[in-house]
Every structure is written in structure tokens, then in C-alpha cells.
Amino acid sequence: MQSILRGGNRVLISRSMNVYTNLALERYLAENIKHQPKTRLLLLWRNKPCVVIGRYQNPFIECDIKYLGEKQIDLARRYSGGGTCYHDLGNLNITVLTTREDYNRKKNLQWITSTVNKAFNLTLYVTERDDIFLDAYKVTGSASRLERLYAYHHFTLLINADLNELRRSLKSNDRRHITSKATSSVPSSVLNLSDRNNSITYEKTIELLIKKFFEWNNEKNTSNYDYIDPLLYYEQIKNFENELKSEKFLHQATPPFVYTIEYKKQKIEMFVTNGIITSIKGDDIIIEKQNLLGKLFHVVYDNIKKINTNSLSK
Amino acid sequence: MSASSLLLFRHAIKFHSIRQFHITSRVFQQRYYTKKHEWVQMIDNKNEVRIGISDFAQNALGDVVYCELPSVGTKLNRDETFATLESVKAVADCFMPLDGKISKVNENLKTQADLINKSPYKDGWIVQAIIEEKNKNNMENILMNEEKYKEYLEKNKNAADH
């Protein structure tokens, strides 16, 4: 068990496809590995279909929560910042974990673009926002977390994800109802790498990155990579995993917002802080007001939508 | 004006302006810095300090879009997280330069998070805290003063970008 936390230039590939498990594993490694200066840990992972929002985002703005529920697509909030993304098995997640001093997003992204371009004959480039684009299409989004002793930069790489599902999941009808200071995503048109070179697969990309990682770090020990089954470390990561799965973290960590609906041609405003409806403003006191005040917004969300729909159909 | 009344007039103005300085302005002492680019500054010679992040730090972070602030009354040790900032580039923690008890948070940051970028040393202050007497007198030793911080930045110019 100790050896999983050793420092140095290493690659770890997660066998889990559960987004909560993988995010918990990432945090566990970040907080417990004995990071050595001038070395990097590369963590490679992918998830079955899910939507991941940034630390200070509002899930109602960023995705269609109802659709996610219907299709059993997981919804997770991560610890790093940035925008919302859709993951499935065709989307590779890459985490570069270093000491705080060695944190450098541009270097990580430049390594990926030059490696992938060379191997697969593409023309990826890094943008100012630390995205990776192929022509006018986004293939990578970045996010980071900086702590006292360590830092990590993780980013996605669209290899052959279901882009229709991606667009459908990230479409929210609630944007116009919500005013908030939550960080908003910057939407872009997306593309799979396999759309430009159909020989690219997830497996090939993993192989390539493992091999080239050691060259990048001038590391002689080129067999310093492991497949890791997070289930074996359940005890160590369960606190993070439970937090990530909890309704508290998912919904109550949303920054304060106001949800506005129309009822009988009047505007009703609901003020939500820490996930709880703390006050309701409107000229008419709607019948359901007693049932909404003090309640968790995401729990009474369906009722609220019904009020809005009912008033429109009159 | 006669020479003597001019002399008296000048003297009166000098005296008056010094008096005004003490009455109307809060006296802020010099700032001390941590290696992680937080700054701390005594307020009014009491045991209360103001804490924020340096110009170097705000520049490295990029535009701050969200601040998570602590509750007033929270007791924190040196190096513990007192605030978390999200910028367009990262979520980053801010660490206490000294042990302290949070006495005030900058409420303006809730609606104008970018005050940290626009005015890192004045309007973009993040929290105020009550500190112990012994730490107050020891700041020169445990932290860097303005000059030492400038040298520190020079030395680390080639450090990784954020």
C-alpha cells in the first residue's frame, strides 16, 4: 500500500469508471503522495457517462438535470474550478500532479499537443484559456486546484465521445430563470480526435502517453507505471468519495442564486443560499409558498417547475 | 502678510495638518509577506490585522471570479486555509500568515470578486483577524518585509507560471 504513495515520475491508470471514485482517488493521491520537486505524476482515467461541474458552478445552469436523471447519467461537482464537461468512455481524463512550485499548465498542454500531433498527424494548438483546439473546435478543457504543497492540472481529451449525448446533456432550460455569481462555462463547439483520424482510439492514446511521459521527464525508469484498482484503496478514499456523492456537496455548495418564475403574470423570486430557499419575493403569495420556504431547492425543484408551467398554460 | 505673521501662519498650518493626519486617517503599518504571496498588515496598532494576496499573486491567478470566505469567529492556525479563490485559471487556497481569529470579511468580494485584481492591497483585502501579542511583535522574523519580498520575487522570476 505504501508504494502507491511513492514520489517520482510515475504514471497511474485507474481501472474504475465511476466519476466519484476517480475524483476521490485523484484527491487522495494529491494529498498523500510524497511529491518530489521537478517530478510529475500522470493519472489517466475515464468515466462512464456523467456530467462534471466546476467547484463554484450551478448545476441547474450548466446541464439538464432532469435528462441526466432519466438517462442515469451521473452528476458530479469536482474540487477544481473551471467549467462543465460531459464524460463518457470516449473521453480521456488526464491529471498532472506536481509540487505547488512546479505547477505549469502551459507545459502540460504543450506536451500533449506535440505528442498527439506527431503520433497522429494532427494540428492541435493551445489557446489562451488553456484549452486545446483543432481548427475551430474544442477538444480539451482545463481545470486546476492549487494547495499549499501540491497542485494539479487536469484536462479532458475528446477521442470518440458521443457528441450528441454531450450536447443534449449540457443543454439547460433554466439559464434564463437564474441570476447568480456562480462561475459560468464558456461553451464551444466540440470535436472528437477520431473524427479527423479514425485510427485514434482510447487504448492507443493511453499507450502513447505512457511511453512519451518518461521521455518528457527525462526519466530512465520507463516501467514506472501501474494500473490501479481504486477498490483496493476504498478505506483511504471513502471520505472523499462520500463527500463527492453527497447531496450536500453537489447542491448545497452552489453559490447563492435567485430563481425567478412567472405566476399569473407576476414575477416570483426565490432566493437560494447553501441550497436552501431562504426567502421568496412576489406580489401574490402563491399557495405553495408555505411548502417551499426553508426547503432544499433541488428537492422541490419539480414542484417549482409545475407552478411555472401551470401559469403559462392559463 | 508681515514676516512674523507669515512665520506664525506657516507654523499653524504645520501643526494643524499633523493633527488632521492623526484624526482622519487610520494608521496602516507596513505589510509583511509570506512565501505563498499573502500579505498581512497591522491596523491601528491594536491586535487586529488585515490579510490579502499580493499583486504578484493576483496577476498569476488571473481574473478572480469567485471568493469563498470564512465565517467571522473562525479560529485558524498559520498555514491553514482562510479563503478559496476561483479565477479563470484555477481554484486556489489562501493560507493564514499567522494564527488568528477572523474578525471581519470583505463583503464586497461577494459581488465584486475582481477587487482582488484591481486593488490587491486596498479595496481587495480579504479578511481581518485578531492575532496574539507575541506574533504581532514577531512578524519581522517569521515573514518578509517589503524589501525582502521584492528580493524573493526577483530570485523566483523563473518559477513556473500559473
Side-chain angles (χ1 to χ4, degrees), chain A residues 92-156:
Chain A
L92 169 62
N93 284 284
I94 302 166
T95 305
V96 180
L97 180 57
T98 60
T99 61
R100 175 76 191 258
E101 287 72 32
D102 291 332
Y103 169 71
N104 190 322
R105 277 157 61 125
K106 289 274 186 296
K107 278 193 184 156
N108 299 339
L109 297 169
Q110 275 154 16
W111 172 64
I112 287 286
T113 46
S114 62
T115 304
V116 172
N117 283 343
K118 249 192 228 155
F120 298 126
N121 201 25
L122 295 170
T123 53
L124 304 175
Y125 61 96
V126 183
T127 68
E128 264 199 12
R129 283 189 69 243
D130 290 338
D131 293 331
I132 295 179
F133 268 65
L134 184 51
D135 302 334
Y137 299 97
K138 181 170 171 177
V139 298
T140 287
S142 282
S144 305
R145 177 140 189 124
L146 311 178
E147 290 265 3
R148 197 165 63 85
L149 298 173
Y150 69 81
Y152 60 78
H153 169 212
H154 54 200
F155 47 100
T156 51

Side-chain angles (χ1 to χ4, degrees), chain A residues 13 78 104 150 157 225 228 233 245 257 276 314:
Chain A
I13 307 112
R78 58 179 186 267
N104 190 322
Y150 69 81
L157 191 58
Y225 65 93
I228 171 174
Y233 302 92
K245 278 186 181 154
F257 64 96
I276 300 169
K314 284 196 166 76

Side-chain angles (χ1 to χ4, degrees), chain A residues 55-56 79-82 100-106 130 143-149 181-183 255-256, chain B residues 36 61 65-68 79 81 84-93 95 110-112 159-162:
Chain A
R55 179 63 183 83
Y56 297 113
Y79 295 114
S80 58
R100 175 76 191 258
E101 287 72 32
D102 291 332
Y103 169 71
N104 190 322
R105 277 157 61 125
K106 289 274 186 296
D130 290 338
S144 305
R145 177 140 189 124
L146 311 178
E147 290 265 3
R148 197 165 63 85
L149 298 173
K181 288 275 168 196
T183 48
Chain B
K36 297 269 176 257
L61 260 184
V65 295
Y66 193 77
C67 300
E68 193 181 353
D79 286 339
T81 302
T84 306
L85 306 178
E86 176 163 13
S87 73
V88 291
K89 292 183 179 183
V91 166
D93 287 343
F95 310 102
K110 289 185 179 164
T111 48
Q112 294 173 78
D161 85 82
H162 285 77

Side-chain angles (χ1 to χ4, degrees), chain A residues 1-2 4-5 22-33 97 150 228 233 235-237 240:
Chain A
M1 206 282 283
Q2 272 302 104
I4 211 74
L5 296 179
N22 282 325
L23 286 172
L25 175 69
E26 185 187 47
R27 175 125 184 216
Y28 170 70
L29 294 171
E31 298 212 338
N32 293 285
I33 280 189
L97 180 57
Y150 69 81
I228 171 174
Y233 302 92
E235 278 305 314
Q236 289 88 346
I237 70 174
F240 290 136

